[in-house]
């Protein structure tokens, strides 16, 4: 029988490779995802914080190599993928897309470099994005004519009013400023003379001059005049009046005036959605947002506006991070405290689901299985401090649960009343197993996420959902497993367990693997059309799960 254990056809332990598998970082064997899945994982999840098994430098290096491979394999497709993820707001942060675009503009062939630079305005939509791209791109290429022309087009293509707002709001990031880039790009020469369809107007030229050399704001867009006056304002009431008159952003106000409730009340009246989410704690601390206040009512109304959330490309991760911090009443690093306002917490909870858009119910029987093992506690999702893949998977599962009537949620631990594998306890008195999780979208999101944070965990065995369903007689159409695919502890591979379940029940069950870490592994067999890999916290993921479960993919 020892021969079958090492090369069986139905039940092979995860420590032994099936044909086509590769070793993962935990000592088990899985399939390597293709380069395009790896690219999407990086674009959405990034590599900040690393993972339980891989340090941030190692994970970043591996992802950079995957991006480079995609560019060399089909650079135009890679650029299109970068643009789509960024433009559609599918990722929590834009930095991975900017990094990948910078790489493509330096390492691709001539056609790819041209496509990457032409895509710059679609990916770098703000001054901060442009500064970050400039910091990245210098690692891959020099400031040749094509790069100078692309940056010049970024400036010349914006209206003077829009560009003035960028200059006021995003003055400097990462040691790069508009002044630096304008001196490098020379838009009037690199763009205006060589592109008659993209005119560098006199108003543009005056604005460029002000950005580079300063001086009088006469004849420039109103926001520049307002910024200059706000920088000279002597009192907070004067600054608040200027915010209202010129519709100034927070960055235009002097730091000493940003402790004033009057200034924050003025800012709130026209505050963009992303800025609102980031500044809820500050406005609560200074008293603008308080129980029953006009500020609270205004914030709640904005957070409930689905159209504004969509237009602002607010990502669910940003809402989740804000909810966790705001509801805690203190900053992640312990700086600043406030008393959370219940209405605002509830509005953030609702905004999280809104940020995913409308998801069509499957009408199928789903088992949502959360990998709450030790490896899912390492690293952070999209670089959000304190948001582990384990916590994020609970939040993401609730999005699917909120749209479905027939589902069960289980966690990878053998708790009271759960399903435990045979054998002696190995993990602080616990055996590997699955236990139903009492979490529901009827709970507030941060409470539901917190409920999985302190669970005891065993080894990672991603075959458990199928073994559990078969053992207790659950009829499941689609298994959805949220994991890092660092599976190693099982006596049978997940793909084999799914096939066993199909054979024993007669149900043509499907498996969706939601990758919660930007690594190159998957438990889904790429040769099985009933298994699908998706990227955790891509805003498209809940609908992809629904489409696949219904057979629409």
């Amino acid at each position: 029988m020892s021969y079958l254990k090492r090369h069986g056809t139905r039940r092979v332990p995860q420590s032994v490779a099936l044909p086509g598998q590769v070793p993962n970082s935990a000592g088990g064997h899985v399939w390597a995802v293709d380069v395009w899945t790896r690219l999407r994982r990086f674009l959405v999840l990034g590599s900040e914080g690393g993972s339980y098994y891989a340090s941030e430098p190692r994970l970043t290096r591996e992802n950079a190599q995957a991006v480079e491979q995609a560019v060399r394999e089909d650079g135009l497709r890679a650029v299109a993928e970068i643009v789509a993820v960024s433009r559609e707001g599918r990722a929590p942060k834009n930095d991975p897309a900017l990094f990948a675009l910078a790489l493509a503009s330096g390492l691709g062939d001539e056609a790819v470099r041209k496509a990457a630079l032409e895509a710059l305005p679609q990916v770098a939509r703000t001054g901060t994005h442009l500064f970050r791209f400039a910091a990245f791109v210098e690692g891959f290429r020099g400031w040749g004519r094509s790069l100078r022309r692309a940056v010049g087009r970024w400036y010349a293509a914006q209206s003077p009013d829009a560009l003035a707002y960028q200059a006021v709001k995003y003055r400097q990031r990462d040691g790069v400023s508009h002044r630096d880039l304008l001196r490098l790009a020379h838009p009037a020469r690199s763009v205006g003379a060589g592109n008659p369809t993209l005119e560098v107007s006199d108003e543009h030229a005056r604005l460029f001059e002000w950005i580079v050399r300063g001086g009088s704001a006469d004849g420039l867009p109103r926001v520049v005049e307002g910024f200059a006056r706000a920088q000279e304002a002597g009192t907070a009431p004067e600054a608040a009046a200027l915010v209202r008159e010129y519709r100034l952003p927070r960055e235009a106000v002097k730091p000493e005036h940003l402790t004033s409730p009057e200034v924050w009340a003025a800012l709130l009246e026209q505050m963009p959605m992303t800025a609102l989410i980031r500044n809820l704690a500050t406005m609560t601390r200074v008293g603008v947002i308080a129980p029953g206040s006009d500020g609270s009512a205004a914030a709640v109304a904005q957070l409930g506006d689905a159209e504004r959330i969509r237009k602002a490309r607010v990502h669910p991760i940003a809402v989740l991070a804000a909810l966790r911090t705001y509801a805690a009443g203190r900053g992640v690093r312990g700086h600043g405290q406030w008393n959370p306002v219940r209405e605002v917490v509830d509005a953030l909870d609702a905004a999280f689901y809104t940020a995913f858009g409308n998801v069509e119910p499957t009408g199928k029987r789903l088992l949502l299985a959360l990998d709450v093992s030790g490896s899912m506690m390492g690293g952070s999702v999209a670089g959000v401090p304190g948001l582990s893949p384990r916590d994020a998977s609970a939040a993401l599962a609730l999005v699917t649960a909120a749209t479905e009537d027939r589902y069960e949620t289980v966690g990878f631990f053998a708790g009271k009343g759960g399903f435990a594998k045979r054998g002696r306890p190995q993990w602080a008195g616990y055996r590997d197993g699955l236990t139903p999780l009492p979490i529901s979208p009827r709970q507030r999101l941060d409470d539901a996420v917190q409920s999985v944070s302190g669970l005891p965990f065993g080894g990672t065995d991603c075959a458990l959902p199928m073994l559990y369903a078969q053992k207790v007689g659950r009829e499941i159409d689609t298994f959805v497993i949220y994991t890092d695919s660092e599976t190693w502890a099982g006596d049978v591979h997940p793909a084999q367990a799914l096939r066993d379940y199909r054979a024993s029940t007669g149900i043509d069950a499907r498996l969706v693997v939601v990758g919660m870490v930007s690594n190159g592994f998957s438990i889904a067999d790429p040769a099985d059309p009933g298994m699908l890999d998706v990227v955790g916290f891509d805003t498209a993921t809940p609908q992809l799960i629904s489409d696949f479960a219904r057979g629409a993919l």
Side-chain angles (χ1 to χ4, degrees):
M1 296 300 293
S2 63
Y3 295 112
L4 287 178
K5 288 182 180 178
R6 284 160 177 76
H7 195 73
T9 56
R10 291 191 57 203
R11 284 183 170 262
V12 175
Q14 293 172 26
S15 58
V16 177
L18 294 174
Q21 287 192 324
V22 297
N24 61 22
S25 303
H29 289 84
V30 291
W31 282 276
V33 299
D34 65 27
V35 66
W36 302 104
T37 298
R38 187 71 190 264
L39 173 63
R40 281 189 290 274
R41 285 187 181 181
F42 174 65
L43 292 175
V44 173
L45 295 172
S47 58
E48 293 176 82
S51 69
Y52 185 85
Y53 289 105
S55 66
E56 181 175 326
R58 173 183 162 188
L59 202 59
T60 300
R61 184 169 58 253
E62 291 174 355
N63 279 291
Q65 291 169 349
V67 174
E68 183 175 350
Q69 182 183 348
V71 169
R72 297 196 186 286
E73 184 174 307
D74 189 341
L76 296 180
R77 178 182 173 184
V79 170
E81 188 76 32
I82 294 165
V83 170
V85 170
S86 177
R87 186 181 57 208
E88 295 166 15
R90 289 164 49 191
K93 292 187 176 181
N94 204 33
D95 287 0
L98 293 165
F99 174 84
L101 191 71
L103 188 151
S105 74
L107 300 183
D109 59 27
E110 183 177 354
V112 173
R113 294 197 300 271
K114 179 181 178 182
L117 291 176
E118 287 179 349
L120 180 60
Q122 299 181 72
V123 180
R125 295 177 296 276
T126 70
T128 293
H129 294 164
L130 185 64
F131 300 152
R132 186 61 55 88
F133 174 82
F136 286 146
V137 80
E138 289 182 346
F140 301 110
R141 57 172 295 161
W143 279 85
R145 181 181 300 175
S146 60
L147 179 57
R148 292 198 304 271
R149 187 172 296 161
V151 173
R153 282 198 302 267
W154 189 94
Y155 284 101
Q158 299 192 57
S159 70
D161 285 339
L163 182 57
Y165 184 84
Q166 293 286 326
V168 167
K169 183 172 176 63
Y170 308 105
R171 283 177 278 168
Q172 180 174 321
R173 295 288 191 282
D174 303 317
V176 183
S177 68
H178 289 295
R179 178 184 181 187
D180 298 330
L181 295 185
L182 285 170
R183 283 179 162 175
L184 284 167
H186 296 294
R189 283 185 286 175
S190 66
V191 175
N195 190 346
T197 64
L198 193 60
E199 180 181 357
V200 178
S201 66
D202 291 342
E203 195 170 3
H204 277 97
R206 289 195 299 271
L207 187 54
F208 296 157
E209 181 73 14
W210 176 79
I211 293 171
V212 172
R213 294 185 172 82
S216 172
D218 292 345
L220 297 178
R222 277 178 52 79
V223 71
V224 176
E225 178 185 340
F227 167 75
R229 292 183 61 186
Q231 293 299 299
E232 296 174 356
T235 66
E238 183 182 351
L242 291 169
V243 167
R244 289 190 171 95
E245 181 180 355
Y246 291 96
R247 304 184 68 170
L248 297 177
R250 175 186 62 82
E251 292 80 0
V253 179
K254 291 196 295 186
E256 58 264 35
H257 293 156
L258 289 175
T259 59
S260 164
E262 191 171 353
V263 169
W264 279 105
L267 289 168
L268 178 58
E269 292 175 9
Q270 302 293 335
M271 188 173 288
M273 180 66 75
T274 301
L276 170 68
I277 291 171
R278 289 176 178 170
N279 289 292
L280 287 169
T282 298
M283 290 188 287
T284 302
R285 191 163 52 241
V286 302
V288 173
I289 293 178
S293 71
D294 291 342
S296 293
V300 169
Q302 283 203 48
L303 291 170
D305 190 333
E307 184 64 16
R308 288 197 65 183
I309 289 175
R310 185 189 65 79
K311 286 184 177 180
R313 297 186 180 90
V314 175
H315 195 277
I317 280 281
V319 184
L320 177 59
L323 172 59
R324 285 165 60 91
T325 301
Y326 185 78
R330 49 187 260 168
V332 174
R333 296 177 177 84
H335 301 307
Q337 296 185 0
W338 56 90
N339 293 318
V341 176
R342 178 189 56 78
E343 300 95 311
V344 174
V345 174
D346 290 343
L348 282 169
D349 187 90
F352 172 79
Y353 296 99
T354 301
F356 279 104
N358 296 323
V359 180
E360 185 177 353
T362 67
K364 302 292 185 180
R365 299 162 295 189
L366 276 67
L367 182 67
L368 311 178
L370 308 185
D371 182 351
V372 294
S373 61
S375 65
M376 289 284 281
M377 296 174 63
S380 56
V381 173
V384 177
L387 184 62
S388 68
R390 169 198 271 201
D391 294 347
S393 66
L396 189 54
L398 287 177
V399 178
T400 295
T403 65
E404 300 295 338
D405 294 324
R406 296 188 291 175
Y407 70 91
E408 180 181 1
T409 307
V410 296
F412 282 31
F413 75 106
K416 184 177 180 181
F419 162 74
K421 289 170 60 177
R422 294 179 179 178
R424 291 181 299 175
Q426 301 181 61
W427 314 98
Y430 291 90
R431 287 180 290 172
D432 293 340
L434 282 188
T435 301
L437 294 176
I439 62 173
S440 163
R442 293 182 179 85
Q443 294 173 268
R444 209 172 63 194
L445 180 63
D446 56 320
D447 292 335
V449 171
Q450 186 63 33
S451 69
V452 306
S453 296
L455 296 176
F457 55 84
T460 307
D461 180 358
C462 289
L464 284 170
M466 285 68 73
L467 299 177
Y468 162 77
Q470 187 171 349
K471 177 70 174 179
V472 302
R474 293 284 194 273
E475 294 184 342
I476 302 298
D477 297 307
T478 301
F479 296 89
V480 184
I481 302 180
Y482 304 80
T483 181
D484 56 5
S485 290
E486 298 285 14
T487 186
W488 60 273
D491 299 325
V492 58
H493 282 269
Q496 292 177 314
L498 178 64
R499 294 181 184 116
D500 285 348
Y501 180 82
R502 291 168 175 166
S504 66
T505 63
I507 300 172
D508 189 20
R510 296 183 165 217
L511 170 64
V512 179
V513 180
V514 185
M516 298 302 299
V517 174
S518 183
N519 58 27
F521 310 127
S522 176
I523 61 172
D525 184 349
D528 189 327
M531 302 187 198
L532 175 71
D533 266 305
V534 294
V535 180
F537 269 107
D538 184 334
T539 53
T541 288
Q543 187 59 52
L544 283 173
I545 294 173
S546 174
D547 290 344
F548 186 70
R550 289 183 291 106
L553 289 181

